[in-house]
Amino acid sequence: MGDKESLLRQLPAVDQLAKHPSLEEWARQDHRLLVEAIRRVLAGWRQKILAGGDFLPTLEVLVEEIKAKFKELHRSSLRPVINATGTVLHTNLGRAILSAEAVEAIVKAASRYTNLEFNLRTGKRGYRYDHVRGLLQEITGAEDALVVNNNAAAVLLCLSALASGREVIVSRGQLIEIGGSFRIPEVMAQSGAKLVEVGTTNKTYLRDYEKAISPDTALLFKAHTSNYRILGFTQEVATAELVELGRRYGLPVMEDLGSGFLVNLEEYGITDEPTVQAEIQQGVDILTFSGDKLLGGPQAGIILGRRELIAEIARHPLTRAVRIDKLTLAGLEATLRAYRNPRQAIREIPTLAALTADLSSLKRRAEELHGLLSSVLGERAQVEVRSITSQAGGGSLPLLELPSFGLALRCPDISASLLAERLRQTDPPVIARIQEDTLILDVRTILPGEAEELARALLAALT
Ligand SMILES: *Cc1c(COP(=O)(O)O)cnc(C)c1O
């Protein structure tokens, strides 16, 4: 005990450290932040000593830790990173990045007053949802639309509004979990709806649904298994058949589509994801999907469907709790506008552009980056162009392997994992992939303006 106290007493005082000559520059830049950094570093050491640590840091060590803490406090926590993983919708790296048009719309909506809930014609109150309703009807063919904070909220809201206290029939093969905490059975329970599971994990037939229909049934529910596929000896009921069954019994069919694919990308080899339009055309009564997956817009939950059902959902008190904010709405409207012309959407929306990038242009980009890195890094690393595969990510198109090109980096005295770790500490951080102890940089997700930054980051990591 006595030892601890004497160690604690020997830690330098805050004032004393703040005057240290090596920290002069930092003190001049922001004295208060420096004091905060010193406090935090000292608190860390106090904790270590109290937990049984039996030595003190040297003054040099303290000063270095204070400088690092100062830098950490000085910069934003949420920062841009270079995504060199090749995963287009990387959930941990923020999923979709927005088109220039969407960014511009967000900046405008953020910096000026808007007619968010103001009807310019009547001068009376307007509705925020009206700003995208018409576009969604036009692009998807749906009768009506409502947008909320994200797709998880959309599913919860729809079930709460349409099925609370009643039964919802779902195939056992579709009881999905999306990243951590979103699980269909749990969302169902939260909404107050009673889950009625039918069929088996690999096979569910129309008759399984039909047998389960009771006077308490509120909905027939279909979840798109967006982040996995059941392959082999399998059977699921097609949307059109489920809709036909629903019609016969006067029951609405709700589908959680997950990703919101609004263009057909068959000619680019992307075939195993249904489009929103196709599902609507088959008569799904309520359809929900994300704004920031394959749609390539901001985080949002889009609900499409029959007018009277959408009206019922809009009246539910949860709608207010999960409402979409004006910046998202601005970004979503601008993103949706691009879909009026599918060619334009593929060009302008970064997610679609990255998914459809052709192999020869990826190869050219890899070769250009190779030239740049070879000249900047010289002897420090061995760089070569490699043919690789990238993924859609974000729980979309789980089986799709997109042929791509990347750079393989090998250094004589640094392991791939150490290099990857160092690249995460550069500014901006670079997130790479490791394959067979080689660091891989996939050009598919490296943005046009990022090559120079990437070269500088690599040089810093290798020096
Ligand atoms: C991604 C996904 C969700 C959750 O959507 P968020 O927009 O992330 O809230 C729900 N259901 C399915 C099928 C999904 O793929």
Side-chain angles (χ1 to χ4, degrees):
M1 220 39 193
D3 277 359
K4 271 185 195 171
E5 270 157 31
S6 102
L7 280 175
L8 288 173
R9 264 201 308 277
Q10 285 175 61
L11 278 172
V14 174
D15 288 354
Q16 188 192 339
L17 283 166
K19 289 193 198 112
H20 194 281
S22 315
L23 295 171
E24 218 170 287
E25 186 194 325
W26 279 263
R28 238 181 298 127
Q29 199 184 330
D30 190 337
H31 189 265
R32 279 177 45 172
L33 198 64
L34 177 63
V35 169
E36 181 61 27
I38 294 170
R39 285 213 175 100
R40 293 203 194 189
V41 168
L42 288 177
W45 277 100
R46 249 177 248 121
Q47 233 164 23
K48 258 186 236 171
I49 292 166
L50 288 173
D54 56 358
F55 67 98
L56 283 173
T58 63
L59 196 56
E60 289 74 40
V61 166
L62 271 182
V63 166
E64 284 315 307
E65 287 185 3
I66 291 163
K67 286 180 187 171
K69 182 57 81 182
F70 182 95
K71 280 190 205 152
E72 183 191 315
L73 293 174
H74 190 67
R75 67 173 176 234
S76 307
S77 168
L78 183 64
R79 307 193 277 156
V81 305
I82 294 179
N83 176 7
T85 65
T87 301
V88 178
L89 294 167
H90 198 301
T91 301
N92 303 136
L93 304 184
R95 287 196 191 156
I97 52 171
L98 300 182
S99 65
E101 290 73 15
V103 171
E104 194 187 325
I106 288 174
V107 170
K108 271 194 202 152
S111 50
R112 304 186 61 179
Y113 293 103
T114 61
N115 61 337
L116 178 66
E117 292 188 347
F118 186 77
N119 185 323
L120 292 169
R121 197 168 43 77
T122 61
K124 297 211 170 77
R125 184 170 185 206
Y127 292 93
R128 70 175 60 211
Y129 307 108
D130 285 350
H131 299 289
V132 290
R133 172 185 276 151
L135 262 173
L136 283 166
Q137 289 166 326
E138 177 191 325
I139 296 163
T140 67
E143 246 179 58
D144 206 352
L146 179 70
V147 288
V148 294
N149 179 57
N150 60 12
N151 187 36
V155 176
L156 175 64
L157 172 62
C158 293
L159 290 171
S160 306
L162 304 176
S164 183
R166 300 178 62 205
E167 293 176 356
V168 177
I169 305 177
V170 191
S171 160
R172 288 200 170 86
Q174 297 174 358
L175 295 173
I176 55 171
E177 169 176 314
I178 307 292
S181 52
F182 181 89
R183 294 170 145 193
I184 292 291
E186 285 163 25
V187 174
M188 200 76 76
Q190 186 63 42
S191 74
K194 186 163 169 267
L195 171 67
V196 177
E197 299 175 25
V198 297
T200 60
T201 306
N202 59 329
K203 289 214 174 205
T204 302
Y205 302 93
L206 195 64
R207 61 173 186 270
D208 295 323
Y209 287 92
E210 189 162 10
K211 267 189 291 187
I213 292 175
S214 83
D216 270 345
T217 307
L219 285 174
L220 304 179
F221 185 94
K222 177 171 177 168
H224 180 50
T225 56
S226 51
N227 58 355
Y228 69 96
R229 295 284 188 265
I230 297 180
L231 302 175
F233 188 61
T234 67
Q235 170 77 37
E236 279 291 357
V237 173
T239 305
E241 285 180 84
L242 202 59
V243 167
E244 194 275 325
L245 181 69
R247 296 281 186 277
R248 257 197 287 140
Y249 285 85
L251 290 170
V253 173
M254 170 175 167
E255 179 174 11
D256 173 14
L257 193 57
S259 266
F261 226 174
L262 289 176
V263 280
N264 189 322
L265 294 183
E266 260 169 36
E267 62 178 289
Y268 299 93
I270 300 173
T271 53
D272 60 349
E273 186 77 21
T275 62
V276 168
Q277 292 90 330
E279 295 304 291
I280 289 291
Q281 213 160 37
Q282 292 182 76
V284 171
D285 301 285
I286 287 292
L287 187 68
T288 72
F289 52 94
S290 290
D292 58 346
K293 290 187 183 169
L294 293 170
L295 192 150
Q299 179 192 303
I302 295 163
I303 307 171
L304 302 178
R306 288 224 318 272
R307 187 159 294 124
E308 65 277 14
L309 295 177
I310 295 283
E312 207 172 321
I313 294 164
R315 278 195 300 271
H316 193 276
L318 252 186
T319 302
R320 177 62 179 78
V322 297
R323 84 173 177 188
I324 191 163
D325 79 288
K326 65 176 179 179
L327 304 187
T328 306
L329 198 56
L332 183 62
E333 182 185 2
T335 306
L336 289 172
R337 287 166 70 90
Y339 280 99
R340 283 182 162 151
N341 175 347
R343 296 268 139 233
Q344 185 187 344
I346 291 171
R347 242 190 351 262
E348 286 178 3
I349 296 173
T351 300
L352 298 183
L355 286 172
T356 60
D358 73 271
L359 206 53
S360 60
S361 81
L362 290 167
K363 187 168 187 201
R364 186 174 38 74
R365 275 152 64 187
E367 280 161 357
E368 279 169 18
L369 190 57
H370 179 260
L372 177 66
L373 294 188
S374 307
S375 77
V376 170
L377 301 179
E379 299 292 296
R380 289 182 180 85
Q382 206 187 328
V383 189
E384 84 188 27
V385 172
R386 247 207 221 166
S387 129
I388 54 174
T389 57
S390 22
Q391 290 182 325
S396 310
L397 302 163
L399 303 183
L400 183 68
E401 292 200 336
L402 296 161
S404 183
F405 278 95
L407 296 170
L409 252 88
R410 249 191 298 236
C411 311
D413 30 51
I414 304 179
S415 71
S417 62
L418 180 60
L419 183 54
E421 187 187 319
R422 287 199 191 163
L423 281 172
R424 291 199 303 272
Q425 313 308 323
T426 57
D427 192 20
V430 177
I431 316 302
R433 191 159 99 195
I434 295 175
Q435 234 165 280
E436 290 153 14
D437 205 39
T438 306
L439 188 97
I440 307 278
L441 305 166
D442 189 330
V443 295
R444 184 184 297 274
T445 49
I446 299 171
L447 305 181
E450 288 178 341
E452 300 279 339
E453 276 183 333
L454 177 61
R456 258 181 276 131
L458 273 166
L459 186 60
L462 289 172
T463 311

